Amino acid sequence: MPLQTPPLRGLHDERGAKFTEFGGWDMPVEFDSIRTEHAAVREAVGIFDVSHMGQIHVTGPDATELMQRLTTNDVSRLAVGDSQYAAITDEDGLIIDDTVVYRLPNETDEGARTDEDGEPTYLFVPNAGTDESTHERWITYRNEWDLEATVDNRTDEYAMFAVQGPDAAELVDDATAESITALDRFEAQYATVDGVDCWIARTGYTGEDGFELIVPWSEAEHVWSLFDCQPCGLGARDTLRIEAGLLLAGQDFDRESDPRTPYEAGIGFTVALETEFVGRDALAELEREGVEEKLVGFQLIDRGVPRHGYDITNTDSRVIGTVTSGTMSPSLEHPIGLGYVPVEYAEPGTTLQVVVRGQSKKARVETTPFIDTV
Amino acid sequence: MSFEIPDDRRYLESHEWALETDGTVRVGISDFAQDELGDVVFVELPDEGDTVTQETEFGVVESIKAVSDLYAPVSGEVTAVNDDLFDAPELVNDDPFGDGWMLEIEADDASELDDLLTADEYEDQIA
């Protein structure tokens, strides 16, 4: 199956980017160097093409109920212009995907935007390569529950850029006709960038202040070119999000190879047990009984780099877990990682070992995020 | 993008270079290899006095994004290790044919170098 390409594939290629397959997409992994791009985001500002992320619109009289019953968080808390992080779980409470749900201005029958009347409208962003299966899931449940809602997969209609870093607000504000600096974290609005209508949210996945712009596919190149800052690839996005202790789908949880609940994965804050959703009963039971394993952050004390799939052992060399993500932290300049261990080993300060190519390396459980985040 | 490929040394298909002086062979990785790897963050090397065998693994170079085995260009005894790389692995990126060298090997048989690629042959391989 051919890889999907982001709208700026050609532009990135001309700029000298290296590419990688990610979730069925051919995405830039590195423009200059991961270290350079990482530092730009921590110290100033960088821009990422994250057009591989899915875009699904849900609207109609029952849109709120459909979203409520298929995501773990409480969608009814969202006013127009709000967004929330949520998990999508199966009947057993296992994470299928994580996502951000945005409440868009309501749509009138004529398609006009309004904050008050009209039909509630949501946009949510599933991970790369899962948009089709997620769309099918929404359609299947909508039909089963006989709800009145329209579900559109618009992944191919919109590009998505993440402008991240301490200088992001100034850069994005300079580019928009309307001021966006009043947005709080997880708030969003429509704004025009050189005449192009964009949905702009104060979200991101780097631990820094920043904005994500959802841009019509046909205008992607024009909008991208207006941001004069360091282009960044998925390599830097990965080191930034590990430092921020954030999950990567398919790695820190994987429905097929390593299914996990939100409580194990450290995103129990996304679970609103007072609402009804698929997986709610299983999670309510787990919340009462507690989890056996938890995702922890750790620092490798000995020389080496922890990588996905490496064994974690206790000090008696008994295998107790697996590294799900790891890197040499460009900000901290020491190796860090994430992995699941039994709860009795999850306390910060606990000594563990990571088996790096057959050699046990000393590690210590750390509090996450590893760096200060917004 | 063009890469530096000095013609005073030989190359392995796995991207190590070997420079011989009086039977001692200095080893590192090529400009192409360091560029492919990206930011090098860790190098694992044998100790002085260890022996290595031609075309078998002698160590590992890790960048932020990848892990890559290192292969010996000749058989022999390790007579020097570039300790600077333990504290400054970025030397591999900055100067792969100079300060980013990794090992020196006292070759059992320096003619083993004849098995390796010339600069022209290596250039063809990475083209």
Side-chain angles (χ1 to χ4, degrees):
Chain A
M1 193 170 158
L3 292 178
Q4 291 181 275
T5 52
L8 302 184
R9 176 66 173 75
L11 203 66
H12 299 329
D13 201 20
E14 285 172 23
R15 174 64 177 69
K18 292 176 183 164
F19 291 83
T20 189
E21 186 276 333
F22 190 84
W25 289 71
D26 193 26
M27 298 303 294
V29 65
E30 188 177 353
F31 286 86
D32 294 302
S33 91
I34 291 174
R35 207 184 280 281
T36 300
E37 295 160 29
H38 184 108
V41 172
R42 286 277 179 258
E43 295 164 13
V45 58
I47 186 169
F48 300 80
D49 183 355
V50 288
S51 298
H52 58 312
M53 303 295 285
Q55 308 276 335
I56 298 181
H57 275 230
V58 182
T59 191
D62 297 328
T64 303
E65 187 171 355
L66 184 62
M67 292 302 299
Q68 189 74 298
R69 290 166 72 168
L70 288 173
T71 61
T72 56
N73 217 329
D74 184 358
V75 178
S76 70
R77 287 182 203 156
L78 294 177
V80 168
D82 285 344
S83 66
Q84 66 186 191
Y85 183 50
I88 300 166
T89 49
D90 66 13
E91 293 285 353
D92 298 322
L94 297 166
I95 304 170
I96 297 171
D97 205 353
D98 61 349
T99 189
V100 172
V101 180
Y102 300 94
R103 174 90 188 265
L104 301 179
N106 299 340
E107 285 182 9
T108 64
D109 291 342
E110 293 76 38
R113 292 176 192 153
T114 168
D115 283 1
E116 301 301 332
D117 302 321
E119 312 217 311
T121 304
Y122 299 91
L123 161 67
F124 72 102
V125 180
N127 279 293
T130 64
D131 56 296
E132 286 182 16
S133 59
T134 305
H135 179 245
E136 282 173 25
R137 181 178 181 81
W138 255 245
I139 296 287
T140 301
Y141 275 106
R142 179 200 65 186
N143 295 344
E144 185 180 322
W145 294 328
D146 197 22
L147 296 177
E148 197 175 335
T150 303
V151 183
D152 289 328
N153 183 357
R154 297 187 176 173
T155 304
D156 291 346
E157 297 174 38
Y158 293 97
M160 187 167 174
F161 306 146
V163 183
Q164 303 282 297
D167 297 344
E170 188 179 347
L171 190 68
V172 175
D173 198 52
D174 284 349
T176 51
E178 305 82 356
S179 175
I180 48 77
T181 53
L183 291 175
D184 282 332
R185 189 89 182 126
F186 277 90
E187 286 185 352
Q189 68 176 71
Y190 279 103
T192 52
V193 179
D194 201 23
V196 179
D197 200 17
C198 301
W199 178 248
I200 298 181
R202 201 158 197 162
T203 52
Y205 218 60
T206 60
E208 295 297 328
D209 187 16
F211 295 80
E212 290 179 306
L213 288 78
I214 294 172
V215 181
W217 189 282
S218 57
E219 301 288 349
E221 194 165 319
H222 177 58
V223 172
W224 174 273
S225 67
L226 296 171
F227 289 91
D228 183 17
C229 63
Q230 173 70 51
C232 304
L234 295 186
R237 196 163 190 259
D238 197 48
T239 53
L240 290 158
R241 69 94 195 164
I242 295 176
E243 287 181 354
L246 300 169
L247 307 177
L248 179 62
Q251 206 164 292
D252 300 304
F253 63 86
D254 186 310
R255 193 189 186 192
E256 304 302 322
S257 65
D258 192 13
R260 295 289 176 176
T261 65
Y263 296 124
E264 289 173 298
I267 57 168
F269 63 89
T270 67
V271 180
L273 288 175
E274 67 277 17
T275 67
E276 282 299 328
F277 61 87
V278 175
R280 186 253 168 221
D281 292 348
L283 289 173
E285 188 180 333
L286 195 63
E287 201 264 343
R288 279 195 306 274
E289 295 181 355
V291 295
E292 293 181 0
E293 295 189 340
K294 276 175 70 175
L295 188 73
V296 297
F298 62 84
Q299 173 182 345
L300 209 60
I301 308 298
D302 290 335
R303 287 182 187 277
V305 184
R307 305 277 183 186
H308 175 73
Y310 286 4
D311 283 342
I312 298 172
T313 73
N314 63 10
T315 50
D316 295 330
S317 298
R318 182 168 62 84
V319 176
I320 56 166
T322 307
V323 176
T324 54
S325 286
T327 190
M328 180 67 77
S329 163
S331 300
L332 302 168
E333 298 186 328
H334 59 238
I336 57 171
L338 303 171
Y340 288 94
V341 295
V343 289
E344 59 266 36
Y345 294 99
E347 196 63 30
T350 305
T351 301
L352 302 171
Q353 296 181 129
V354 174
V355 183
V356 178
R357 292 183 298 279
Q359 292 184 331
S360 288
K361 307 279 187 177
K362 188 176 173 186
R364 184 178 63 228
V365 176
E366 300 283 333
T367 305
T368 56
F370 294 98
I371 48 118
D372 291 334
T373 59
V374 291
Chain B
M1 188 164 182
S2 65
F3 296 99
E4 196 184 345
I5 309 175
D7 60 7
D8 59 351
R9 58 198 81 195
R10 293 295 186 109
Y11 297 85
L12 273 72
E13 289 179 2
S14 48
H15 308 292
E16 295 80 4
W17 55 258
L19 176 65
E20 192 241 335
T21 312
D22 298 332
T24 297
V25 177
R26 184 170 270 207
V27 184
I29 66 169
S30 71
D31 188 24
F32 172 81
Q34 69 77 23
D35 185 74
E36 284 288 300
L37 281 165
D39 303 285
V40 171
V41 293
F42 182 68
V43 181
E44 192 174 283
L45 300 173
D47 295 323
E48 280 182 34
D50 287 355
T51 56
V52 296
T53 305
Q54 188 184 35
E55 295 191 347
T56 60
E57 295 166 31
F58 71 78
V60 167
V61 58
E62 295 203 36
S63 67
I64 290 175
K65 68 184 180 194
V67 186
S68 189
D69 290 326
L70 295 163
Y71 293 88
V74 292
S75 304
E77 182 182 330
V78 176
T79 54
V81 174
N82 186 359
D83 292 338
D84 291 348
L85 298 184
F86 298 132
D87 291 325
E90 64 274 14
L91 287 171
V92 176
N93 295 116
D94 297 342
D95 192 8
F97 295 114
D99 290 343
W101 68 279
M102 293 174 176
L103 289 186
E104 286 182 349
I105 302 168
E106 191 72 44
D108 294 341
D109 177 3
S111 71
E112 282 186 330
L113 288 169
D114 298 337
D115 302 339
L116 308 183
L117 302 175
T118 64
D120 285 345
E121 288 166 342
Y122 181 67
E123 186 171 11
D124 289 344
Q125 183 197 310
I126 63 173

